[in-house]
Amino acid sequence: MPIRQLSETMINQIAAGEVIERPASVVKELVENALDAGAARVEIVTAGGGLNLIRVTDDGSGIPEKELALAIARHCTSKLADNIHDIRSLGFRGEALPSIGSVARLSIRSRTANGDTAAEIGIEGGRVSAVKPAAANRGTTVEVRDLFFATPARLKFMKGERAESSATSDVIKRIAIAFPAVRFTLAGSDRSTLELPATDDSPEGRLRRVAQVMGADFPENAIAIDAVRDGVHLAGHVSIPSFSRANALQQYAYVNGRPVRDKLIAGAIRGAFADVLPRDRHAVTVLFLTLDPAIVDVNVHPAKADVRFRDPGLVRGLIVGAIREALANAGIRAATSGAAGMMAAFRPGAASYAHSGPANGHRSYEAAYRASGSAGFDPARSPQRPLDMGFENTEPGNGGFGENDQAAFDAGPLHSADARAGQTETAETLLGTVLGAARAQVHENYIVAQTRDSLIIVDQHAAHERLVYEALKNALHARAVPSQMLLLPEIVDLPEEDAERLAMHSETLARFGLAVERFGPGAVAVRETPSMLGETNVQQLVRDLADEIADNDTVDTLKERLDRIAATMACHGSVRSGRLLKPEEMNALLRQMEATPGSGTCNHGRPTYIELKLADIERLFGRR
C-alpha cells in the first residue's frame, strides 16, 4: 500500500483513542476547559453513564462567534503561547474538542460577556456544521451525545452504566478539590445528584472542600502538611496512621493545581508511611505541589495525568521528609473511627462489638499474636517478674542482636528513667495527660485509663510492640549496621547503567551492612551482607536495589528489610496478652506512648488505643 496522507477525521479518531478513553475522560476535558475559562459555576449532566449524553455548562468567559470554528479544529488553543515550558492552564494541546467530535455528536453553544447573542456550532462524526445564532446566557454549554457511535468497536470496552457513572464522579471530585472557589453540580437520570458548594481558596476553605468530597471524618483525622525545599512547595493534609484504607483511591495529588496520578508521588507517600502502615493499607492524602512550570513536564501523555519532574529526588525527598516530620510532630492521636465503632456497638440493637474483619483491614490480633510465636498467657512471665524486653531467646541467625545491642535495650521503654518519673506524679496531674491515668487492666490485655474528659482503652501488646520497635530501630540506625563477610564474593551480572548506579550509592549501602563494588563494566561484587539478614538471596537483593535506584534514586529496599526484621523482633519482645501489669507499669507504658512518635498504631498497622469522649458516654446513657 502506498504512503498517503490520512484524512483529518481519521487523524482525530486516532487521537481520540488516547485522549478519550471513556465518558469520564470527556467530562474531565470539558470541565478543565470551563475552569480555564474562569468559570465560578460548573454544571454537569449525564445519561446512560455518559454514553448517551454529557452536558457541561459553565459561566466562564465564553467563546467569540468568530472563533467557534477554530475551537473544534485540531491543535488550536488559546491557552499556550510560544513557550511549551511555561504551561499554567489545565488544557493546552488543542486536541480534546476535535477528538470528541470525531467519535460523537458534539455541539457547542457559547456567549461572551460583551456579546449580544450566543452562537452555536456542531460536529458529528467529524463532519462540521455551520455556525448559527442561538440563545444562551453568558458562558458555554457543550453537549456530547452518542459517544463512540462513529467507532462502535470502542463501545465493547465500556463497563456498565454504574461503573462509568462512578468514574465520572471520581473525576469531578478530584478536580473539585483543587478548585474550592468553584461550585460543581453533577446530576442526571443515571445518578443521584452530587453538589459541591463553593468555599474559598484559603487553607480553611480548601479543607472544607476536602470534607465535602472525602467526608467530615477526614479533617478530624488529618495532619496538615506545609513544607518548602529548593523552590518546591508542598501543602495539604495526610491522615493519621490509624485512619487508613484498603486501597490508594483516597490519595489525591496535584501539581500546580492539576490532578495527577504519578507513580513517584504515590511511591513517596507509601515510603513515608512504610514505618507505620502495613503494606496492604494506604493512607488518605490530599497533597498540593507548587513549583516552577519550567521544572515539571506535563506534556508526557495526551490525557495529561502523568508528569515528569526535572529533579525527582528533590520531590520524593520533600514528600517523604515533610510527611514523616508532620507525623512525628503530631504526637499521639487516635482515629475517631474507633470511637464511632465502639459507640455503634454499645447502642441498642447492635449485634455485637465484633467486626466481620479487623477495623483497619489487617489480620486479627489473635492471628498476628499466634504468628509471632506464642499464644495466650506466657507462664515464663509470672505477674511478679519485672517486665523486661524479652530478647533472651533471640538468635543472631534469625535476625537477632548481639550483646552490645542487648545492653541498649535492657533499659527498655517500661524501665527508662523518664517513664518511671511518671509514677511519682499525682493522680490529678496524670488526668491532664494525653492518655491519662491507668485505672484497671481487663482481660489481662487491655489497660483502661481516664483523662479529664475521656476514657482510654489501650491494647498493651500492640502498644508495647511499637515502643520496642522504635527502640530497636533507633539503635539500629544510630550506627553502621553490623555486616558479615562472605567466604567468596558474590558476583552479580547487571546492565552497565544499573552497576554504575549501585556503585554511586555504595557508601549508603555500606552503612546498612552491604559492601558493593564494581566488578567490570557489567557486574558488581558483593563482599559483605547485613548480619541481620542471615542467609539471603544476594542476587535478588542487589537486583531489587538496582531497580529501586533506577525508579526512585533511593536504597529504601534494604532499609525496609532491616526494619521488618526489627518489627518481628519487637513482636517477640513485647508484653504478651495475658500478662498482668502493676499500676506503675501501666502508667509507665502510657507515658512512654505519649513520648514516642507513631505509637498510635502497632507495627502491623492496628490501632494501639481507642479514645471515647465523656460526652459520647453520657449520650449513651441519655444524659445529653
Side-chain angles (χ1 to χ4, degrees), residues 230 232 264 295-296 308-317 553:
D230 294 344
V232 181
L264 182 142
I295 61 176
V296 58
R308 294 292 183 271
F309 299 99
R310 180 180 296 179
D311 189 349
L314 168 64
V315 175
R316 177 183 169 83
D553 197 34

Side-chain angles (χ1 to χ4, degrees), residues 207-291:
L207 193 57
R208 288 197 297 272
R209 171 53 61 85
V210 170
Q212 292 174 3
V213 171
M214 304 176 66
D217 55 345
F218 175 69
E220 297 174 355
N221 296 279
I223 305 169
I225 302 291
D226 192 355
V228 179
R229 183 183 298 178
D230 294 344
V232 181
H233 181 214
L234 176 68
H237 290 79
V238 299
S239 64
I240 59 177
S242 53
F243 187 85
S244 61
R245 294 289 183 267
N247 55 48
L249 294 179
Q250 292 291 303
Q251 292 182 356
Y252 297 87
Y254 302 85
V255 176
N256 290 340
R258 180 189 305 278
V260 298
R261 293 180 181 272
D262 185 75
K263 70 174 185 177
L264 182 142
I265 296 176
I269 294 172
R270 187 169 55 251
F273 282 90
D275 235 14
V276 292
L277 284 180
R279 298 182 70 86
D280 59 345
R281 300 299 296 179
H282 301 267
V284 182
T285 64
V286 179
L287 296 177
F288 299 90
L289 275 168
T290 305
L291 65 165

